[in-house]
Each structure stands twice: as structure tokens, then as C-alpha cells.
Amino acid sequence: MKLYLCGHSDRYALEQLQLCLFPLEPVETEEKPKSGSRVPRLPDGTDHAVSRLSRGARFLTATARITRGGVTTHAVQRLALANETYALRRRILQRAYYLAALPHLPAPPPWGALSGVRPTKLTTRHLLEGGTPASADRLLRDTFFVSPARRKLCVRASEFTVEAASLLAPADVSVYIGIPFCPTRCAYCSFVSQTAGSAGTLLAPYLDCLLREIETVGEHLRAAGRSVRTLYIGGGTPTVLSADQLRVLMEAVNRHFDRSRLIEYTVEGGRPDTLDPEKLRLIRDLGADRVSINPQTMNDAVLRAVGRPHTAADVERAYEQALQAGFTSVNMDLIAGLTGDDPDSFERSLRRVLALDPSNVTVHTLALKKGADLFQNRAGLPDQSAVETMVRTADELLAARGYDPYYLYRQKYMSGSLENVGWCRDGDRCLYNIYMMEELHSILALGGGAVSKRMLSPTKLERQCNPKYPKEYVARIEDVLAAKRDLIAALAAPDADPNRKEPTEYEN
């Protein structure tokens, strides 16, 4: 659906909201720089939306007009010029668009007028600035029209975030180490990862370069007086590495990083078909205290449909082996909305996972990413109503079993415009997930496709991206090392750019 912006250029805010509200209609945006600009004359009944911002003597006025299916709706929001900020200006633009869109929707969307991937940033900041859970709930309800269930998730997750923030000192950082290789590619996956078989001889040189980056980052962090607070080895599937390769990797981490202030160390096992007692004991003995074993579903037919060759029984075997290796903190992922799944099957999967009693359960809502096979081949996917039932069942069952939502985030093209939620039992949350998603401090990311985040202030950050593909990462390793040295040297530097854009509470 065509989107015209008149008098403003806040493309991101309006495009993302339109995408959330009308997910099956591609967004095509055209900017008209003047508030009085006219929209081109369109054939009667042509679907389109107009977002206009005009400045008067006392007020900033946002208007939205949406024509869809021959029906046109309008909405207006105003802001006193004396109160204008970047965040509040965007807020009235999005509120006006949302209110104009609401009559065209079958039901109010669960996240209301919020479109960003990190809705908890809004409530976390509110709590950190002295607000209460009750006032945070009112903010979501009255300002952004968020549903009661989503408000409850958001506020509870922000309470965990505030607690996690209290564990950080100014010199702390987190470290992510990426292994972008998998045994096979899942149909829903859009990550830049290569199957270990097709990668051929690339895995060994990739690991050699990663070891060099670990050494460089570790040495420069020590010199800069920075402490590693959480460490996460993710992927891809890190346990696609052999036991010997895992040993070399983790021994390098222990050798080059000061772990005296480390409070969490995760290795993402992910695929149970890459795990065995030897690897799990090795991971635990070399310092990791948390592991992920991710079934995605416990329905063998659904596993085959999405390209995962393991079985539910393999998941249970790997979980028991993790316990025998000494792990007490284990995360398990499930995805609501996979090919061939339905609400009853999803509930059986969840109950089977809960019978294992993991410390964390992360429930993802399927997001159709352009790089994934499912984006083009959607046959057999559950409809939106079915996915909503799956997510609601997960919320109810997990809460009844004593699990709390400790972090959440949203993605583009997500079924039902819902969310991914990490649930924890007895407060055993993954701190790295909170620090990464809430952007509470600087995170150094190593490996192909890894994105480091240097925090400049509580609301400003700077990203540094490693080369996206493993082959490119290997070819450009000298550039990677130089960039990391510069990044660590700049960690303590003040933000020298007075014109840097201030993000909204729910942006990014």
C-alpha cells in the first residue's frame, strides 16, 4: 500500500507501523517535504495512506488519512510546541496513523501503536526514571493502546531488566562469539550461516581467524580496564564444531579473557543432533554454566517439515546428557506457527518440554524472513488465529508452572504481530539476552556477521559490523582486527557528534 509522507520524513516510524498493521501489503513510501504538499491524484478507491505533519503557532499537528477497500478514515493528534521532542513528535505521528487504521482492522492489534522490535525499552526507561509497574502499565494502555496481556508481559520483563541493570558497573561489557555454521539449514531460518558439509574446508580457516580476533579483543580489553560480565557463544550452531575444535575455542576464551567478573557463560547447543556426552562435559568443564538445547517442536512430523533431521527423543536424550554433564541452567526454544503444526500439537510439545523442567523456555512466534525457504513456500503454515492460540496457551501454561517473562522482542513479518518471549523459572534468566536486547551496555561481537554495539549514552549507540559471510570474514580478518582495536580504544571516548539522532523509547 502506498504511503505518502507530507511535511516530515519519519519513514521508519510509519513504515514499520504500517507493516505491523497491514502485514500482507508491501509498503511503498513517497516523501513530500512540505506540509502543504498535495498527494498525486489517484484513481477512485486506490488503497493508500497519507501521514501529514504541520506546524502552527502553538501546536504541532499530525493527521493521517487511510483509504482502503473504498473506505477512507481520518485521525488527528496534536502536541504543544513547547513540549516538542523527537520522541513525542514521532509518537503523535504513529498515534494518528494507528487511530486512522483501526477501523480497517478485524480487531485491535495486541501491541497497539507500538511498532519497534524492543517495546520493553519504553517501560524499562519508565521504571529506571522512578515509575512504578502500575504507571508503566498505564503508559502502555493510554498512550499506545497495548492489550492487557501484552502490557503484563512487557512490564514484568522490564522489572527483570531493571534488576539486571543493577548488576553492571561502568567498565563492564558483554562478549558474543559467533559460529555461523549449522549441520543443515532449517526452512524458517534467515541467518547468514552455512551448512558444515557445504562449507567444506572453510570451517578450519574460519576458526583460525576467530581465534585471532579472540586474542586481539581479550588483550585490548585488559589494557582498557574493561571487564567481561557475560559471555555467549552462539550461531548458527556452535556445537557443529568437533570436540577438539570446541576445546581449542573455549581454551582460547579462557586464556585471553579475564573472567574474574563473569557472572554468566552460555554456549548455544541448539541442535540436539550436534550434541553428545563428550561435548557437553567439555563445555561444562571449560567454564560454561548455561546451555541451550532447542527442539523448536516436539512433533517429529513438523521437525521433518522444517528440515530438522533429529527427533523429539533426541531432544530428551540431549537434555538428560546435559544434566549429567553438570548443567543446571538449560534453555529450550519452541516456535509457534511452524509448517504442519496446530494448537493441539503445539500444546503437546510445550507440555513435553515442561516435563523436562528446564530453567528457561523461549517461545518464538514464527517470523517469515525473506532469506528463509518458508518465505516463498508457505503451504501448511497455521493461520493467524491458530498462532495466536499457540502463544496464548504458552503464556498460560508457563505462568501456571511458575515461569516469568524476563525478556521479549518482536520481528518483522511476525505472525499475528506478536513477539518472542524468554521465560525463566526461579529467576534463572539469561542476562546476556537482556543486556543485548535492551542495549544496557557495550557488547563486543566476534566472528562472521557479528554486530558490536558501543553504548555512547543510555539512549545512543554505535554499531560496528563484521563482514557478513564467513568467507568474507576470513578474507578481511586484518580489517576486522584493526576495527576491533579502534572500537575498544573508543569505548571510553565521549560522544563527539552533537547532531547524532536521539532514538525513541521503542525504536531499534
Side-chain angles (χ1 to χ4, degrees), residues 238-239 241-250 279 282-283:
T239 47
L241 298 176
S242 68
D244 287 342
Q245 289 170 326
L246 271 173
R247 181 184 299 278
V248 169
L249 173 65
M250 296 187 70
K279 287 184 184 179
L282 176 71
I283 292 168

Side-chain angles (χ1 to χ4, degrees), residues 155-167:
V155 174
R156 187 67 181 119
S158 284
E159 290 180 285
F160 274 95
T161 299
V162 171
E163 180 184 316
S166 71
L167 302 176

Side-chain angles (χ1 to χ4, degrees), residues 161-438:
T161 299
V162 171
E163 180 184 316
S166 71
L167 302 176
L168 295 174
D172 288 342
V173 299
S174 286
V175 172
Y176 174 86
I177 298 172
I179 308 294
F181 297 89
C182 287
T184 60
R185 188 173 182 85
C186 300
Y188 53 80
C189 182
S190 65
F191 290 130
V192 177
S193 60
Q194 293 189 246
T195 59
S198 66
T201 58
L202 183 58
L203 187 54
Y206 176 86
L207 185 57
D208 289 342
C209 291
L210 183 60
L211 296 176
R212 292 185 62 193
E213 192 177 9
I214 288 170
E215 180 178 4
T216 297
V217 169
E219 289 180 358
H220 283 77
L221 282 177
R222 285 176 184 269
R226 296 280 165 166
S227 300
V228 179
R229 202 62 167 142
T230 71
L231 201 155
Y232 194 105
I233 300 179
T237 307
T239 47
V240 76
L241 298 176
S242 68
D244 287 342
Q245 289 170 326
L246 271 173
R247 181 184 299 278
V248 169
L249 173 65
M250 296 187 70
E251 286 179 346
V253 169
N254 291 346
R255 186 165 57 252
H256 296 296
F257 289 124
D258 178 3
R259 297 192 296 146
S260 60
R261 279 185 49 78
L262 194 68
I263 52 176
E264 179 184 272
Y265 185 172
T266 301
V267 173
E268 190 171 326
R271 293 275 292 266
D273 45 327
T274 66
L275 295 171
D276 57 42
E278 180 186 8
K279 287 184 184 179
L280 288 163
R281 284 195 300 270
L282 176 71
I283 292 168
R284 185 70 188 94
D285 291 345
L286 289 175
D289 55 10
R290 183 176 181 276
V291 69
S292 287
I293 299 170
N294 301 332
Q296 315 304 5
T297 174
M298 298 295 274
N299 182 322
D300 287 349
V302 176
L303 286 169
R304 290 192 297 272
V306 298
R308 290 174 76 96
H310 66 82
T311 66
D314 292 329
V315 174
E316 292 168 332
R317 169 195 52 77
Y319 183 85
E320 291 302 323
Q321 291 172 348
L323 297 184
Q324 292 165 11
F327 286 99
T328 58
S329 184
V330 181
N331 173 74
M332 304 186 80
D333 283 5
L334 290 171
I335 299 178
L338 291 175
T339 303
D341 214 355
D342 59 52
D344 289 341
S345 167
F346 179 82
E347 181 175 344
R348 287 193 296 272
S349 289
L350 179 56
R351 289 185 181 278
R352 196 166 172 181
V353 164
L354 289 176
L356 299 173
D357 201 29
S359 54
N360 294 163
V361 177
T362 305
V363 179
H364 297 267
T365 303
L366 179 66
L368 289 172
K369 295 293 190 175
K370 290 183 178 179
D373 294 342
L374 281 184
F375 192 84
Q376 299 299 332
N377 182 18
R378 305 183 190 186
L381 289 178
D383 62 22
Q384 179 173 323
S385 175
V387 176
E388 289 172 351
T389 300
M390 295 177 195
V391 172
R392 183 170 59 252
T393 296
D395 293 349
E396 293 170 354
L397 281 178
L398 286 160
R401 292 290 188 94
Y403 288 81
D404 277 311
Y406 74 92
Y407 92 114
L408 65 86
Y409 65 101
R410 302 171 69 200
Q411 293 174 280
K412 295 180 182 178
Y413 310 111
M414 182 168 275
S415 182
S417 191
L418 292 167
E419 66 285 319
N420 303 321
V421 183
W423 296 80
C424 68
R425 191 194 64 231
D426 303 325
D428 188 8
R429 71 281 194 230
C430 176
L431 289 166
Y432 171 82
N433 283 340
I434 296 175
Y435 295 150
M436 178 271 299
M437 192 55 59
E438 294 285 342

Side-chain angles (χ1 to χ4, degrees), residues 26-44:
V27 182
E28 182 184 353
T29 305
E30 183 174 324
E31 293 184 20
K32 302 288 184 180
K34 296 182 179 179
S35 62
S37 299
R38 291 184 175 275
V39 173
R41 187 172 183 83
L42 300 170
D44 290 344

